[in-house]
């Protein structure tokens, strides 16, 4: 392996399952997560888990990490947006859980080490939800995950996460910022514009319970889809058309699973009266 690639990633010592469960206990109790499709996950077959990102990007990821750790003995290595690692405390917590910046070099090393890897192609833009973007995949023109999966012949497991986008209501978003006099003025500054990626990284102002930032106690639902075999794309990792074809296959699976999870949620009667009281807004 290239020495420069090795140098990009520090040695990782996985946390204990007990410590993960203790840290997740409040969220697990609050959101009562339910998981489907775990039979599609083979701990002996390293895979690239491709998931939709939800608002703010921190509510549901730890629950996926815990479930695969507990049920399958898998310690997921997440590829994260660089912005995550600049946030005090949160960035350090991600590093301790095994997350690394989402670069081709880091992905290559993880795949060469036969790790199970989690990626959110929507990145920071999908986290910075705008009004009406609940459950929407915002991947722009990104196909890097598909190229890496083809190059290293990694199967892809599409993962759908439902609930976190309903825990908050967006009241002010990037469109409001970019349309304001202050926003227009700030984005004229080259450094500010680069930092905010032209407005993509402007986080929304949202409310949960009442006017507070306490998320509504939505029940979370997760689905692991059937693995997508990348052998049919062998030696075509540089072919943009093949990258887009694989990307579409993954997106279609995630969107189908999100629809199925919404149907499960609509029929779910195992929800307390208190939870229904705080989450009685119309679901889309």
């Amino acid at each position: 392996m290239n020495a420069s690639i090795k140098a990009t990633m520090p040695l990782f010592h996985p946390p204990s399952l007990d410590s993960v469960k203790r840290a997740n206990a409040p969220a697990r109790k609050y959101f009562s997560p339910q998981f489907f499709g775990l039979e599609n996950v083979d701990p002996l077959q390293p895979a690239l888990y491709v998931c939709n990102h939800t608002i703010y990007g921190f509510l549901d990821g730890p629950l996926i990490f815990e479930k695969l750790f507990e049920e399958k003995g898998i310690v997921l290595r997440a590829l994260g947006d660089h912005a995550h690692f600049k946030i005090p405390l949160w960035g350090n917590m991600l590093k301790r859980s095994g997350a690394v910046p989402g670069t081709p070099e880091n992905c290559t090393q993880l795949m060469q080490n036969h790790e199970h890897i989690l990626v959110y192609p929507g990145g920071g833009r999908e986290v910075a939800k705008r009004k009406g973007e609940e459950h929407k995949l915002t991947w722009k023109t990104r196909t890097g995950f598909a190229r890496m999966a083809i190059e290293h012949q990694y199967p892809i497991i599409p993962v759908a996460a439902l609930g976190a986008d309903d825990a908050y209501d967006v009241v002010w978003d990037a469109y409001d910022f970019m349309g304001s006099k202050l926003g227009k003025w700030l984005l004229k500054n080259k450094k500010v514009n680069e930092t905010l990626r032209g407005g993509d990284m402007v986080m929304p102002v949202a409310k949960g319970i009442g006017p507070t930032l306490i998320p509504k106690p939505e029940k979370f639902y997760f689905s692991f889809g059937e693995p997508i075999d990348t052998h049919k794309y062998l030696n075509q990792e540089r072919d943009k058309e093949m990258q887009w074809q694989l990307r579409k296959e993954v997106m279609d699976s995630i969107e189908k699973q999100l629809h199925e999870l919404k149907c499960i949620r609509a029929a779910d009667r195992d929800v307390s009266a208190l939870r229904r009281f705080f989450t009685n807004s119309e679901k889309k």
Side-chain angles (χ1 to χ4, degrees):
M1 189 189 303
N2 188 299
S4 63
I5 293 179
K6 281 186 178 181
T8 64
M9 195 183 301
L11 187 64
F12 172 57
H13 299 285
S16 68
L17 177 58
D18 284 344
S19 67
V20 171
K21 289 183 71 64
R22 284 196 301 271
N24 274 347
R28 191 170 59 251
K29 185 174 180 61
Y30 194 73
F31 296 117
S32 300
Q34 191 170 356
F35 295 82
F36 302 89
L38 284 168
E39 67 276 8
N40 292 318
V41 177
D42 180 358
L44 300 180
Q45 175 60 69
L48 183 64
Y49 300 73
V50 181
C51 189
N52 60 300
H53 230 336
T54 55
I55 188 168
Y56 296 143
F58 68 87
L59 290 177
D60 46 15
L63 295 170
I64 296 174
F65 181 95
E66 177 191 346
K67 190 65 174 180
L68 290 183
F69 198 174
E70 181 177 33
E71 296 288 334
K72 300 289 184 174
I74 292 171
V75 178
L76 270 183
R77 301 298 302 277
L79 296 171
D81 191 289
H82 297 269
H84 279 296
F85 300 92
K86 297 177 182 178
I87 302 173
L89 300 178
W90 173 246
N92 289 332
M93 189 194 78
L94 287 178
K95 290 176 183 176
R96 287 196 299 272
S97 71
V100 296
T103 65
E105 293 79 13
N106 283 343
C107 187
T108 292
Q109 184 173 342
L110 289 173
M111 287 180 168
Q112 289 176 341
N113 290 344
H114 309 292
E115 302 274 11
H116 290 260
I117 305 165
L118 173 66
V119 65
Y120 297 93
R125 171 60 185 88
E126 202 167 87
V127 165
K129 298 286 183 185
R130 283 101 191 261
K131 297 165 192 166
E133 287 187 350
E134 300 88 355
H135 324 126
K136 180 181 177 181
L137 302 183
T138 311
W139 292 5
K140 301 188 118 180
T141 59
R142 293 167 182 160
T143 58
F145 75 92
R147 177 174 63 81
M148 299 303 292
I150 296 171
E151 181 177 346
H152 297 277
Q153 288 295 278
Y154 247 61
I156 291 177
I157 296 182
V159 183
L162 182 75
D165 280 349
D166 301 295
Y168 284 108
D169 296 316
V170 175
V171 296
W172 183 91
D173 62 20
Y175 290 135
D176 296 313
F177 170 76
M178 291 186 286
S180 68
K181 290 182 179 179
L182 176 62
K184 292 175 181 177
W185 177 74
L186 286 172
L187 290 174
K188 287 179 181 178
N189 182 286
K190 184 178 179 181
K191 187 173 182 180
V192 172
N193 194 292
E194 288 176 353
T195 300
L196 296 179
R197 301 178 197 171
D200 277 2
M201 291 301 293
V202 175
M203 290 295 130
V205 175
K207 62 187 180 80
I209 294 178
T212 76
L213 282 173
I214 300 171
K216 290 179 282 186
E218 289 285 345
K219 186 173 179 179
F220 284 3
Y221 302 82
F222 299 95
S223 175
F224 296 87
E226 293 184 7
I228 296 174
D229 190 355
T230 57
H231 283 97
K232 59 187 174 184
Y233 299 101
L234 182 64
N235 297 324
Q236 299 183 82
E237 64 268 15
R238 300 295 172 183
D239 187 328
K240 271 291 184 181
E241 185 176 338
M242 293 298 101
Q243 293 176 20
W244 277 92
Q245 184 173 314
L246 178 55
R247 167 186 146 129
K248 184 179 186 304
E249 198 173 346
V250 176
M251 289 186 79
D252 287 349
S253 175
I254 293 174
E255 288 174 339
K256 180 175 181 289
Q257 290 179 79
L258 283 171
H259 174 72
E260 291 169 348
L261 290 178
K262 289 176 184 178
C263 292
I264 290 171
R265 178 171 67 181
D268 193 351
R269 295 295 174 262
D270 186 24
V271 179
S272 70
L274 183 63
R275 188 181 297 277
R276 289 185 185 280
F277 175 80
F278 282 113
T279 61
N280 61 0
S281 58
E282 188 70 24
K283 301 293 192 304
K284 296 181 181 180

